[in-house]
């Protein structure tokens, strides 16, 4: 598959490629600002499709430039956010807000948004530190919790035709006990791939994180991106289709934009399973599997976007799945149905420049007759429905969100666990797998330009396995080892309720430099008393050009 990516890339580079640039790394707080402007200012002549993330900087820049006439009518808070986004994407917006009279020795921070910039007529290079230093304490901890991340983010363009991006970091951390237990129990590291743990009882973790890609426009309407990175599909806090919970993946992506129609083909190599040496992944060649997916987004109306999605997980790259316009399920069926197939749809509806309703529906198998007669294991589907309310109760920049998620047992799992919808032993969609129902409430408030306050309540009811019996929550479990064929219900198994409460305040000291104060209360109630636990933690962090590390499970 790597040879295929390289050959494809070299072949495309032989063409007279068009000007292009990089993508905006997925950061939930950053994309919330994009959502605000997209809900308030989308029009027929100024569309911004944001369901598949990350999005191109050029797309956001064009959208921002087209609403420049609205600037004087914005609140002081939205003016600040508008200037922040314009500055962060200055290469396309030519932001007038980004000059910095307080540069460091006329060399660094000549622009407010970048530590160092080198720019000529045919080359632009942006270099920024990527740092997080945090410390805190948990109620059930006898050791200090901390995160120590150091790295760098590098991006730019060559000849106005080829864009490149690289982010490298190394981290040592001691996480709360529930995160530690997740890693030990699942032998998987949230958001990451390979890791090492500390010696003895230090309970520290050490891992290296790398992402990078090349991107260019093959034609005016076709963009090509190939590299190693993450993706997120949806408009909610969770995604039932593709989230950023697992590690980055080797991928190739082709995006074709034709007016209100956008077709995205994503091909990726995933890690199937890991050989463990003690508590760490061992050395050796890890088995791989192949993901092929495509989705089409259509802006039926300026305020209504609908998407159709299909994905195949196979043992290896199959030439049939590289057809960008065919229905994968029909091809998979013609080969004897050896692979794992998922199909879904989503929508996003903006109303009155203040509201957004969104949702997803995804299924593996869906038998109407058996759905009516009762809970057959074959009805494997998930549903998401959510809403956003901007400037709630006429309070400027108070934004509320409510989201409900349901995932039936055995969704994402397969008769051969190797082909489950997973990567590096982590789910590719919901972090808690399936066999669950969940309510998430989020409130965001920006009382002054540089201060952002976020509150979250996530309540998840799910069923855990017991004594090796597969009740349908673990995506890595063999579906042939299911507990029964019928009379299934969501939450079967060991009934468990997880309550997650979070309150975070973030103050922007400089552009993309934040001081965070995060407080988390987590309570797990289980039918088995030994599995129940509750804890409270508080953390203080200094964060520079990195998103917050979330453990919302």
């Amino acid at each position: 598959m790597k040879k295929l990516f390289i050959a494809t890339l070299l072949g495309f580079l032989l063409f007279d490629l068009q000007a292009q640039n990089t993508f905006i790394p997925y950061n939930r707080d950053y994309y919330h600002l994009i959502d605000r402007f997209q809900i308030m200012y989308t029009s027929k002549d100024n569309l911004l499709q944001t369901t598949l993330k990350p999005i191109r900087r050029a797309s956001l820049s064009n959208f921002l430039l087209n609403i420049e006439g609205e600037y004087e009518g914005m609140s002081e808070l939205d003016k600040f956010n508008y200037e922040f986004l314009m500055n962060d994407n200055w290469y396309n917006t030519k932001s007038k807000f980004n000059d910095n009279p307080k540069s460091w020795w006329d060399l660094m921070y000549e622009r407010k948004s970048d530590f160092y910039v080198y720019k000529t007529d045919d080359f632009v290079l942006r270099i920024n530190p990527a740092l997080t230093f945090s410390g805190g304490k948990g109620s059930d901890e006898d050791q200090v919790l901390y995160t120590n991340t150091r790295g760098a983010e590098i991006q730019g363009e060559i000849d106005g035709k080829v864009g490149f991006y690289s982010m490298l970091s190394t981290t040592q951390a001691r996480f709360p006990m529930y995160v530690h237990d997740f890693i030990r129990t699942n032998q998987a590291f949230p958001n990451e791939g390979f890791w090492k743990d500390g010696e003895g009882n230090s309970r520290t973790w050490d891992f290296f994180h790398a992402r990078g890609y090349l991107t260019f426009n093959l034609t005016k309407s076709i963009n090509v991106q190939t590299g190693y990175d993450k993706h997120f599909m949806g408009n909610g806090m969770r995604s039932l289709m593709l989230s950023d919970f697992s590690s980055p993946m080797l991928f190739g992506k082709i995006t074709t934009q034709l007016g209100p129609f956008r077709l995205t083909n994503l091909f990726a190599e995933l890690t199937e399973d890991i050989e463990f040496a003690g508590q760490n992944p061992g050395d050796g060649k890890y088995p791989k599997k192949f993901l092929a997916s495509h989705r089409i987004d259509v802006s039926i109306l300026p305020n209504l976007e609908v998407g159709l999605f299909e994905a195949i997980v196979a043992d290896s790259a199959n030439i049939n799945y590289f057809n960008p316009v065919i229905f994968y399920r029909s091809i998979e069926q013609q080969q004897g149905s050896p692979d794992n197939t998922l199909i879904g749809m989503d929508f996003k509806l903006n109303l009155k420049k203040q509201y957004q309703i969104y949702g997803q529906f995804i299924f593996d198998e869906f038998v109407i007759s058996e759905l009516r007669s009762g809970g057959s294991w074959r009805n494997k589907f998930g549903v998401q429905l959510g809403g956003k309310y901007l400037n709630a109760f006429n309070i400027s920049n108070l934004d509320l969100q409510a989201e409900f998620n349901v995932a039936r047992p055995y969704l994402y799992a397969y008769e051969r666990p190797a082909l489950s919808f997973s990567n590096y032993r982590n789910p590719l969609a919901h972090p808690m797998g399936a066999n669950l129902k969940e309510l998430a409430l989020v409130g965001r408030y920006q009382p002054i330009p540089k201060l952002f306050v976020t509150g979250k309540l996530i309540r998840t009811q799910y069923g855990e396995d017991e004594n090796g019996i597969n009740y349908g929550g673990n995506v890595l479990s063999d579906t042939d080892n299911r507990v029964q064929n019928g009379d299934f219900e969501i939450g079967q198994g060991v009934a468990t309720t997880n309550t997650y409460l979070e309150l975070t305040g973030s103050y922007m000291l400089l552009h993309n430099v934040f001081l965070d104060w995060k407080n988390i209360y987590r309570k797990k109630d289980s039918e088995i008393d030994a599995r129940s636990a509750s804890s409270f933690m508080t953390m203080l962090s200094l964060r520079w050009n990195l998103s917050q590390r979330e453990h919302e499970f």
Side-chain angles (χ1 to χ4, degrees), residues 158 167 221 393:
I158 303 172
M167 209 290 283
S221 302
F393 313 113

Side-chain angles (χ1 to χ4, degrees), residues 382-403:
V383 179
Q384 178 186 89
L385 185 63
K388 300 174 185 177
Y389 178 19
L390 304 188
N391 303 315
F393 313 113
N394 294 319
I395 301 174
S396 181
N397 293 75
L398 172 63
D399 302 334
L400 305 179
Q401 179 180 359
E403 179 176 303

Side-chain angles (χ1 to χ4, degrees), residues 18 74 100 139 227 242 267 321 337-338 344 378 390 408:
Q18 308 295 312
M74 295 179 185
N100 188 8
S139 60
L242 182 62
F267 310 105
Y321 298 142
S337 295
R378 296 176 60 193
L390 304 188
R408 291 265 298 171

